[in-house]
Amino acid sequence: VVAIEQGRNIFNNIKKSVVFLLTCNLGEVLVMFVTLALGWPVPLIATQLLWINLITDSLPAIALGMDGDDSDVMNEKPRDAKESFFSQGAGIHVVLGGILIGLITILAFWYGFYELGYSPFDKQIPEEVVKNARTLTFLVLVCSQLFYSFGLRNSQKPFYQIKIFSNQYLNGAIVLGLFLQLSLLFIPVLRNAFKLHLPDMNGWLMALGLGLIPLIVLEISKIILIKRK
């Protein structure tokens, strides 16, 4: 019985990590594909994408794989050995979550031009304007992925039904990710190396506000599903 319980928890943790990675990467692919298809400037340069993949994606994914045991895991029905990895809504979760992260990031990229009086469709755009738009894109994408990892600790229970801060590895991954992200912006050498722009107050508020949207939508969807049951 104990072995079955441990096996279920291990499987769930692996699934959390994979769903998180696929969701985040789908969002990144969508941002690059849509903006380039529209003829806009490149929203993220290679070093920024590499940073996201190494820091924002990897650390929370590893931490989700080390999540604590779910006390209700033995109340679930036995899983069919032939059941798809993306069954029970996991596939839909990846697609919808990735699309949402991608759309809000594209919105941030557009706003980076708009707040300085330009449009991404313009032919002649100053480098500082493009840098501002990329910075907002970078920030929103990182924040949305880090915050979103909180909601993936349990695919069915909303945050108020779990000990949301009990996974110290995830807490540390998010704090470290935010700290490193701020270091890129406030340390001039790193900021220049990654071709970033120090955001104004509107930029910080947008990064925080848009970054929380995927997590909020995920938690609301859990609450709705619980009420339907």
Side-chain angles (χ1 to χ4, degrees), residues 61-90:
I62 294 171
L64 285 170
M66 302 172 69
D67 206 0
D69 295 344
D70 182 2
S71 57
D72 295 329
V73 72
M74 293 302 286
N75 294 330
E76 300 174 4
K77 294 181 179 179
R79 179 173 51 85
D80 189 339
K82 297 180 180 180
E83 180 181 275
S84 169
F85 187 83
F86 297 102
S87 63
Q88 299 182 4

Side-chain angles (χ1 to χ4, degrees), residues 106-168:
I106 292 171
L107 175 62
F109 188 54
W110 170 83
Y111 181 79
F113 293 96
Y114 174 78
E115 71 170 342
L116 297 180
Y118 287 86
S119 166
F121 290 103
D122 292 340
K123 298 298 182 182
Q124 301 293 330
I125 304 175
E127 184 61 30
E128 281 301 312
V129 176
V130 177
K131 186 182 291 187
N132 181 65
R134 284 175 178 162
T135 300
L136 290 181
T137 303
F138 193 40
L139 263 178
V140 169
L141 187 57
V142 167
C143 289
S144 63
Q145 292 181 354
L146 289 175
F147 297 152
Y148 193 67
S149 63
F150 264 128
L152 291 179
R153 290 198 57 203
N154 194 295
S155 60
Q156 299 178 350
K157 297 179 183 177
F159 70 94
Y160 58 83
Q161 291 186 356
I162 63 174
K163 297 178 180 179
I164 191 169
F165 297 113
S166 60
N167 186 340
Q168 298 301 320

Side-chain angles (χ1 to χ4, degrees), residues 25-66:
N25 280 276
L26 177 60
E28 295 166 22
V29 170
L30 186 65
V31 171
M32 300 298 291
F33 178 80
V34 172
T35 53
L36 293 177
L38 292 172
W40 293 4
V42 178
L44 294 166
I45 60 176
T47 52
Q48 293 167 356
L49 280 171
L50 183 61
W51 175 268
I52 291 172
N53 286 324
L54 289 176
I55 304 298
T56 311
D57 290 352
S58 300
L59 295 180
I62 294 171
L64 285 170
M66 302 172 69

